Amino acid sequence: MTKAFAGKICIVTGGCSGIGLAVGEALLKRGAVVYLADLSEHNVERTREKMKAQSNARCAVVDVTRQEEIAGLIRSAAAENGRLDYLFNNAGIGATMPFERVTLATWEKVININLWGVIYGIDAAFPIMEKQGFGHIVNTSSLAGVIAPPYQAVYCASKYAVTGLGEALRYELAHKGIAVTTICPGNVATPIFGDAAPPEDAILPEDAAEIILAGVEQKKGIVIFPRNMDTFVRRGQMHPEEIEQWMFQEAEIRRKAYADHGNYY
Ligand SMILES: NC(=O)c1ccc[n+]([C@@H]2O[C@H](COP(=O)([O-])OP(=O)(O)OC[C@H]3O[C@@H](n4cnc5c(N)ncnc54)[C@H](O)[C@@H]3O)[C@@H](O)[C@H]2O)c1
């Protein structure tokens, strides 16, 4: 097993269920110190019980839509350990419904958790990572953050935003030593499907966690799975490495423009 995560300080939001819990467990197996933060007290208690023999596991009730709660956790984890290596902004909810059923309350709830939760996490982690000169932000978007299935307009809006945010930041923050990875899973068999059975093609959260950590370790920009979706989504686009090169160059040009005369345009 890789030693890349041994001793690393990691925070995983939505860390007491599904993909977040599986990522947390895989990080613990690799020797990381892992803060598992989740809104659901029930999920936190169940996870705390499950992890009681794991001295590197810390469980906390945190609502990512409350800026002071998620920022408080991030700052105290960094202060306790002298650094923060990884922030996994993973907490999220699904929203699949005909558009006529979508209310403004639905929009607010989904955007608050899926997008503002990520923004608050980045806002608190960035100054810490910038000061220390390293760090890795990992945002869970979705396949619906790169392709847009019908009946998922609200979810897609939230997840496309997460993908765009992560991609832009990745190019901009690379020179500061901060990596950004966007995770775009297809179906994973987790409680996100509620009472409905997960789709037949859904993979296990443990398998998803292995794919995610392999991509994070390689500092990939976007991790799309399953593999056939990765091929499909990227088909017809520029070669990803050409885009990467272009964007890294563009980041350099813009960074210099801001440093030299305070603006780009
Ligand atoms: N399961 C899939 O098929 C799938 C596919 C693509 C993307 N995703 C994304 O993966 C992420 C994890 O989803 P999952 O499938 O593991 O779902 P899940 O429901 O098993 O886990 C999500 C966890 O997030 C927590 N959470 C919800 N709101 C929160 C809040 N305000 N603050 C803190 N925690 C909160 C929940 O309590 C839950 O424990 C989500 O962002 C989801 O959109 C999942």
Side-chain angles (χ1 to χ4, degrees):
M1 191 176 287
T2 166
K3 291 195 166 51
F5 297 99
K8 301 295 182 192
I9 311 304
C10 309
I11 297 175
V12 185
T13 69
C16 296
S17 175
I19 297 171
L21 178 59
V23 165
E25 288 181 310
L27 285 167
L28 286 164
K29 261 193 220 148
R30 288 161 168 79
V33 174
V34 186
Y35 290 75
L36 298 152
D38 204 290
L39 172 69
S40 156
E41 288 183 25
H42 168 78
N43 289 353
V44 171
E45 272 324 303
R46 192 189 50 194
T47 305
R48 193 172 276 139
E49 185 59 28
K50 191 176 178 193
M51 305 264 174
K52 64 179 178 212
Q54 299 260 19
S55 61
N56 283 348
R58 326 255 186 277
C59 300
V61 177
V62 172
D63 182 347
V64 297
T65 70
R66 292 179 178 268
Q67 187 268 339
E68 70 286 0
E69 285 189 21
I70 182 61
L73 173 75
I74 289 168
R75 289 185 199 126
S76 62
E80 270 165 35
N81 298 284
R83 63 181 206 282
L84 173 64
D85 296 292
Y86 292 92
L87 170 63
F88 290 81
N89 285 311
N90 164 81
I93 55 168
T96 304
M97 65 189 77
F99 194 67
E100 57 270 27
R101 280 198 220 147
V102 174
T103 62
L104 289 180
T106 315
W107 275 108
E108 272 189 31
K109 184 172 182 193
V110 174
I111 299 294
N112 278 343
I113 298 172
N114 291 5
L115 180 56
W116 276 103
V118 174
I119 295 170
Y120 290 145
I122 293 172
D123 181 71
F126 170 66
I128 294 166
M129 292 181 173
E130 185 184 36
K131 193 167 171 207
Q132 67 191 15
F134 61 86
H136 196 149
I137 295 165
V138 183
N139 301 322
T140 308
S141 176
S142 172
L143 204 48
V146 280
I147 51 173
Y151 296 79
Q152 287 194 288
V154 183
Y155 187 69
C156 285
S158 70
K159 293 300 190 178
Y160 265 72
V162 171
T163 304
L165 164 62
E167 277 285 272
L169 276 185
R170 177 175 180 239
Y171 300 116
E172 186 177 333
L173 302 187
H175 79 105
K176 292 181 187 282
I178 303 174
V180 183
T181 299
T182 304
I183 308 297
C184 298
N187 291 322
V188 182
T190 73
I192 205 169
F193 295 100
D195 294 336
E200 275 180 14
D201 65 351
I203 65 169
L204 293 173
E206 294 73 21
D207 295 335
E210 291 303 320
I211 298 168
I212 290 167
L213 291 190
V216 170
E217 191 178 337
Q218 291 168 51
K219 292 199 166 74
K220 283 193 172 170
I222 299 202
V223 178
I224 299 174
F225 57 91
R227 185 180 285 277
N228 62 338
M229 279 296 138
D230 186 44
T231 312
F232 170 75
V233 168
R234 291 164 188 261
R235 191 178 56 189
Q237 294 185 350
M238 266 173 93
H239 194 284
E241 277 165 20
E242 284 177 77
I243 300 176
E244 276 184 344
Q245 264 186 359
W246 172 27
M247 290 300 156
F248 279 126
Q249 284 165 2
E250 192 64 24
E252 206 50 25
I253 292 165
R254 292 180 188 204
R255 190 171 67 79
K256 284 208 172 78
Y258 281 108
D260 292 346
H261 31 88
N263 60 32
Y264 172 65
Y265 290 107

